[in-house]
Structures are given as structure tokens and as C-alpha cells.
Amino acid sequence: MAQKAAKQLAARNTTKLNQAHLISLGNNLFFLLMRLLVYRSTYTRNTLLLWVVLSLPAWVIEFWLEKIGRPKYAENGELKKSGEDLEAKGLTDFMWDLIYWTWACIAAAAMIGNKAWWMYAVVPAYSIWMAATTVIGMRNGMAGMTGQEHGASQDADAGGDSKRQRKLEKRGGQKVQYQ
């Protein structure tokens, strides 16, 4: 049972990568067949150009995930390297989201037409929203490092009492007077 976790990770990665490649191949073939056979009258060079340009990020990411996630085996069949975890949170998760969204845009463009590529504008909007929430979270975290919470610093600036002062006054302790 040596390297049981590594073998399980290798099996999961292999399955996930094979599924991703098959779905990508099927989705792109569906797009080409729909554009060339069904919607032949609306077919233009711009259609193929949009497809290539807007599918390129997903293809690059898929290639990258293949490179880092595919397990490596020795000549005798023994596992050398299980690859990176393709189900990891953070950047890897965002890359999978980008691939899934690109597949959805390709399928929609195959059925609806070139106007469906505007769905791809969600990706930069989502990235900006994630960056903004990260910056806000970091700012609130930095305020906590100074010993003040974000709300407490606003109360003190507005002329309100701090929590410690309110507790002292509640117990009947010394009342603080401001001048």
C-alpha cells in the first residue's frame, strides 16, 4: 500500500484530463459542424477567427493542466510522479472555471451565432470582482493587525466611545470626559 494517496491522485488526474480532452474535442467539433453544415449561410471568416481567438485561452490552459497534472510512470510501470492536484482551490479552480465557461460560450455560439461570444465578457468582469473583494478583505485584515477593527476605528473617529470605555462606564468606573 505504498504511495496509496499518490496513486489515487494519479488516477483522479488521469480521469479528469481524459474527460476534459474528450469534452473539448466534442464541443469544438460540434461548433465546426454546426457552423459549416447547419448555419452555412451565416458562415464567415470572422466566425472562425472569433472561435480561434476566444478558444485559445482554454486550449492554453488545458495544455498547461495536461503538463502539470498528467502522472509520469517509469518504464516498469511504477508511478514516478502523480502530478499536481487538479482539484486544488485557488488558481487551478479559476482555470477550470475559465475552461468550463469557454465551453459554454462555444456551445452557445454554435447554436445561436457570433453574438453569443459576448458571454465571454463575464470572465473579465468576474476577475475584477474577485480582485476587488480580495483587496477589501486584505484592507480589513490589515486594520485588524493594528489592533482596531474596521468598525471600531470609524466609531472612534466619529466621536463615539470605545468598547473599553463603555464597559468601564457600565460598571460604574471612571467616566471619561472629552474636551
PDB file of all heavy atoms in Angstrom, residues 78-95:
ATOM      1  N   GLU A  78       5.893   1.616 -12.820  1.00  0.00           N
ATOM      2  CA  GLU A  78       5.790   2.171 -11.470  1.00  0.00           C
ATOM      3  C   GLU A  78       5.582   3.689 -11.552  1.00  0.00           C
ATOM      4  O   GLU A  78       6.149   4.366 -12.406  1.00  0.00           O
ATOM      5  CB  GLU A  78       7.063   1.857 -10.688  1.00  0.00           C
ATOM      6  CG  GLU A  78       6.967   2.207  -9.221  1.00  0.00           C
ATOM      7  CD  GLU A  78       8.205   1.750  -8.469  1.00  0.00           C
ATOM      8  OE1 GLU A  78       8.690   0.644  -8.730  1.00  0.00           O
ATOM      9  OE2 GLU A  78       8.672   2.532  -7.620  1.00  0.00           O
ATOM     10  N   LEU A  79       4.789   4.211 -10.656  1.00  0.00           N
ATOM     11  CA  LEU A  79       4.474   5.637 -10.634  1.00  0.00           C
ATOM     12  C   LEU A  79       5.688   6.435 -10.172  1.00  0.00           C
ATOM     13  O   LEU A  79       6.206   6.224  -9.089  1.00  0.00           O
ATOM     14  CB  LEU A  79       3.291   5.894  -9.692  1.00  0.00           C
ATOM     15  CG  LEU A  79       2.800   7.327  -9.572  1.00  0.00           C
ATOM     16  CD1 LEU A  79       2.206   7.794 -10.898  1.00  0.00           C
ATOM     17  CD2 LEU A  79       1.765   7.444  -8.467  1.00  0.00           C
ATOM     18  N   LYS A  80       6.145   7.366 -11.034  1.00  0.00           N
ATOM     19  CA  LYS A  80       7.255   8.242 -10.673  1.00  0.00           C
ATOM     20  C   LYS A  80       6.741   9.532 -10.054  1.00  0.00           C
ATOM     21  O   LYS A  80       7.241   9.980  -9.034  1.00  0.00           O
ATOM     22  CB  LYS A  80       8.092   8.585 -11.910  1.00  0.00           C
ATOM     23  CG  LYS A  80       9.021   7.493 -12.344  1.00  0.00           C
ATOM     24  CD  LYS A  80       9.745   7.790 -13.649  1.00  0.00           C
ATOM     25  CE  LYS A  80      10.463   9.087 -13.684  1.00  0.00           C
ATOM     26  NZ  LYS A  80      11.237   9.286 -14.931  1.00  0.00           N
ATOM     27  N   LYS A  81       5.743  10.124 -10.715  1.00  0.00           N
ATOM     28  CA  LYS A  81       5.195  11.394 -10.249  1.00  0.00           C
ATOM     29  C   LYS A  81       3.703  11.402 -10.530  1.00  0.00           C
ATOM     30  O   LYS A  81       3.274  11.114 -11.642  1.00  0.00           O
ATOM     31  CB  LYS A  81       5.882  12.557 -10.980  1.00  0.00           C
ATOM     32  CG  LYS A  81       5.455  13.910 -10.503  1.00  0.00           C
ATOM     33  CD  LYS A  81       6.161  15.006 -11.272  1.00  0.00           C
ATOM     34  CE  LYS A  81       5.600  16.352 -10.831  1.00  0.00           C
ATOM     35  NZ  LYS A  81       5.971  17.420 -11.734  1.00  0.00           N
ATOM     36  N   SER A  82       2.928  11.738  -9.502  1.00  0.00           N
ATOM     37  CA  SER A  82       1.474  11.704  -9.663  1.00  0.00           C
ATOM     38  C   SER A  82       0.920  12.968 -10.306  1.00  0.00           C
ATOM     39  O   SER A  82      -0.224  12.999 -10.728  1.00  0.00           O
ATOM     40  CB  SER A  82       0.798  11.483  -8.308  1.00  0.00           C
ATOM     41  OG  SER A  82       1.112  12.554  -7.442  1.00  0.00           O
ATOM     42  N   GLY A  83       1.707  14.023 -10.410  1.00  0.00           N
ATOM     43  CA  GLY A  83       1.231  15.281 -10.975  1.00  0.00           C
ATOM     44  C   GLY A  83       0.611  16.158  -9.901  1.00  0.00           C
ATOM     45  O   GLY A  83       0.339  15.716  -8.781  1.00  0.00           O
ATOM     46  N   GLU A  84       0.394  17.410 -10.252  1.00  0.00           N
ATOM     47  CA  GLU A  84      -0.232  18.351  -9.326  1.00  0.00           C
ATOM     48  C   GLU A  84      -1.708  18.003  -9.162  1.00  0.00           C
ATOM     49  O   GLU A  84      -2.317  17.425 -10.056  1.00  0.00           O
ATOM     50  CB  GLU A  84      -0.097  19.776  -9.855  1.00  0.00           C
ATOM     51  CG  GLU A  84       1.325  20.256 -10.000  1.00  0.00           C
ATOM     52  CD  GLU A  84       2.030  20.433  -8.676  1.00  0.00           C
ATOM     53  OE1 GLU A  84       1.381  20.822  -7.693  1.00  0.00           O
ATOM     54  OE2 GLU A  84       3.238  20.170  -8.633  1.00  0.00           O
ATOM     55  N   ASP A  85      -2.275  18.396  -8.039  1.00  0.00           N
ATOM     56  CA  ASP A  85      -3.688  18.147  -7.782  1.00  0.00           C
ATOM     57  C   ASP A  85      -4.530  19.079  -8.656  1.00  0.00           C
ATOM     58  O   ASP A  85      -4.485  20.296  -8.513  1.00  0.00           O
ATOM     59  CB  ASP A  85      -4.000  18.388  -6.300  1.00  0.00           C
ATOM     60  CG  ASP A  85      -5.423  18.020  -5.932  1.00  0.00           C
ATOM     61  OD1 ASP A  85      -6.107  17.395  -6.759  1.00  0.00           O
ATOM     62  OD2 ASP A  85      -5.845  18.362  -4.812  1.00  0.00           O
ATOM     63  N   LEU A  86      -5.308  18.503  -9.566  1.00  0.00           N
ATOM     64  CA  LEU A  86      -6.128  19.290 -10.483  1.00  0.00           C
ATOM     65  C   LEU A  86      -7.443  19.742  -9.853  1.00  0.00           C
ATOM     66  O   LEU A  86      -8.205  20.467 -10.480  1.00  0.00           O
ATOM     67  CB  LEU A  86      -6.407  18.495 -11.761  1.00  0.00           C
ATOM     68  CG  LEU A  86      -5.178  18.176 -12.597  1.00  0.00           C
ATOM     69  CD1 LEU A  86      -5.567  17.368 -13.822  1.00  0.00           C
ATOM     70  CD2 LEU A  86      -4.441  19.433 -12.998  1.00  0.00           C
ATOM     71  N   GLU A  87      -7.700  19.317  -8.631  1.00  0.00           N
ATOM     72  CA  GLU A  87      -8.904  19.750  -7.924  1.00  0.00           C
ATOM     73  C   GLU A  87      -8.570  20.744  -6.818  1.00  0.00           C
ATOM     74  O   GLU A  87      -9.379  20.980  -5.921  1.00  0.00           O
ATOM     75  CB  GLU A  87      -9.630  18.533  -7.356  1.00  0.00           C
ATOM     76  CG  GLU A  87     -10.131  17.601  -8.441  1.00  0.00           C
ATOM     77  CD  GLU A  87     -10.747  16.333  -7.899  1.00  0.00           C
ATOM     78  OE1 GLU A  87     -10.775  16.149  -6.665  1.00  0.00           O
ATOM     79  OE2 GLU A  87     -11.190  15.516  -8.714  1.00  0.00           O
ATOM     80  N   ALA A  88      -7.384  21.327  -6.890  1.00  0.00           N
ATOM     81  CA  ALA A  88      -6.941  22.276  -5.866  1.00  0.00           C
ATOM     82  C   ALA A  88      -7.742  23.572  -5.966  1.00  0.00           C
ATOM     83  O   ALA A  88      -8.232  23.944  -7.030  1.00  0.00           O
ATOM     84  CB  ALA A  88      -5.456  22.572  -6.032  1.00  0.00           C
ATOM     85  N   LYS A  89      -7.848  24.250  -4.865  1.00  0.00           N
ATOM     86  CA  LYS A  89      -8.550  25.532  -4.829  1.00  0.00           C
ATOM     87  C   LYS A  89      -7.613  26.638  -5.288  1.00  0.00           C
ATOM     88  O   LYS A  89      -6.413  26.450  -5.388  1.00  0.00           O
ATOM     89  CB  LYS A  89      -9.049  25.835  -3.400  1.00  0.00           C
ATOM     90  CG  LYS A  89     -10.020  24.811  -2.868  1.00  0.00           C
ATOM     91  CD  LYS A  89     -11.305  24.861  -3.630  1.00  0.00           C
ATOM     92  CE  LYS A  89     -12.260  23.800  -3.113  1.00  0.00           C
ATOM     93  NZ  LYS A  89     -13.232  23.420  -4.112  1.00  0.00           N
ATOM     94  N   GLY A  90      -8.178  27.783  -5.557  1.00  0.00           N
ATOM     95  CA  GLY A  90      -7.367  28.930  -5.935  1.00  0.00           C
ATOM     96  C   GLY A  90      -7.233  29.058  -7.432  1.00  0.00           C
ATOM     97  O   GLY A  90      -8.215  28.997  -8.174  1.00  0.00           O
ATOM     98  N   LEU A  91      -6.008  29.213  -7.906  1.00  0.00           N
ATOM     99  CA  LEU A  91      -5.751  29.464  -9.321  1.00  0.00           C
ATOM    100  C   LEU A  91      -6.176  28.289 -10.196  1.00  0.00           C
ATOM    101  O   LEU A  91      -6.735  28.491 -11.278  1.00  0.00           O
ATOM    102  CB  LEU A  91      -4.268  29.784  -9.533  1.00  0.00           C
ATOM    103  CG  LEU A  91      -3.868  30.196 -10.938  1.00  0.00           C
ATOM    104  CD1 LEU A  91      -4.632  31.454 -11.360  1.00  0.00           C
ATOM    105  CD2 LEU A  91      -2.378  30.440 -11.020  1.00  0.00           C
ATOM    106  N   THR A  92      -5.921  27.067  -9.740  1.00  0.00           N
ATOM    107  CA  THR A  92      -6.325  25.898 -10.516  1.00  0.00           C
ATOM    108  C   THR A  92      -7.830  25.859 -10.684  1.00  0.00           C
ATOM    109  O   THR A  92      -8.343  25.585 -11.771  1.00  0.00           O
ATOM    110  CB  THR A  92      -5.835  24.604  -9.839  1.00  0.00           C
ATOM    111  OG1 THR A  92      -4.439  24.705  -9.596  1.00  0.00           O
ATOM    112  CG2 THR A  92      -6.121  23.392 -10.702  1.00  0.00           C
ATOM    113  N   ASP A  93      -8.544  26.162  -9.644  1.00  0.00           N
ATOM    114  CA  ASP A  93     -10.006  26.208  -9.691  1.00  0.00           C
ATOM    115  C   ASP A  93     -10.482  27.286 -10.668  1.00  0.00           C
ATOM    116  O   ASP A  93     -11.411  27.071 -11.446  1.00  0.00           O
ATOM    117  CB  ASP A  93     -10.544  26.481  -8.282  1.00  0.00           C
ATOM    118  CG  ASP A  93     -11.996  26.103  -8.127  1.00  0.00           C
ATOM    119  OD1 ASP A  93     -12.462  25.198  -8.846  1.00  0.00           O
ATOM    120  OD2 ASP A  93     -12.663  26.700  -7.268  1.00  0.00           O
ATOM    121  N   PHE A  94      -9.827  28.440 -10.658  1.00  0.00           N
ATOM    122  CA  PHE A  94     -10.182  29.517 -11.585  1.00  0.00           C
ATOM    123  C   PHE A  94      -9.913  29.094 -13.030  1.00  0.00           C
ATOM    124  O   PHE A  94     -10.687  29.420 -13.934  1.00  0.00           O
ATOM    125  CB  PHE A  94      -9.397  30.788 -11.247  1.00  0.00           C
ATOM    126  CG  PHE A  94      -9.679  31.933 -12.174  1.00  0.00           C
ATOM    127  CD1 PHE A  94     -10.876  32.621 -12.103  1.00  0.00           C
ATOM    128  CD2 PHE A  94      -8.754  32.309 -13.139  1.00  0.00           C
ATOM    129  CE1 PHE A  94     -11.150  33.674 -12.958  1.00  0.00           C
ATOM    130  CE2 PHE A  94      -9.013  33.354 -13.999  1.00  0.00           C
ATOM    131  CZ  PHE A  94     -10.215  34.043 -13.903  1.00  0.00           C
ATOM    132  N   MET A  95      -8.815  28.351 -13.259  1.00  0.00           N
ATOM    133  CA  MET A  95      -8.515  27.882 -14.610  1.00  0.00           C
ATOM    134  C   MET A  95      -9.589  26.926 -15.117  1.00  0.00           C
ATOM    135  O   MET A  95     -10.003  27.006 -16.276  1.00  0.00           O
ATOM    136  CB  MET A  95      -7.139  27.223 -14.653  1.00  0.00           C
ATOM    137  CG  MET A  95      -5.998  28.200 -14.582  1.00  0.00           C
ATOM    138  SD  MET A  95      -4.431  27.442 -15.007  1.00  0.00           S
ATOM    139  CE  MET A  95      -3.769  27.136 -13.388  1.00  0.00           C
TER     140      MET A  95
END
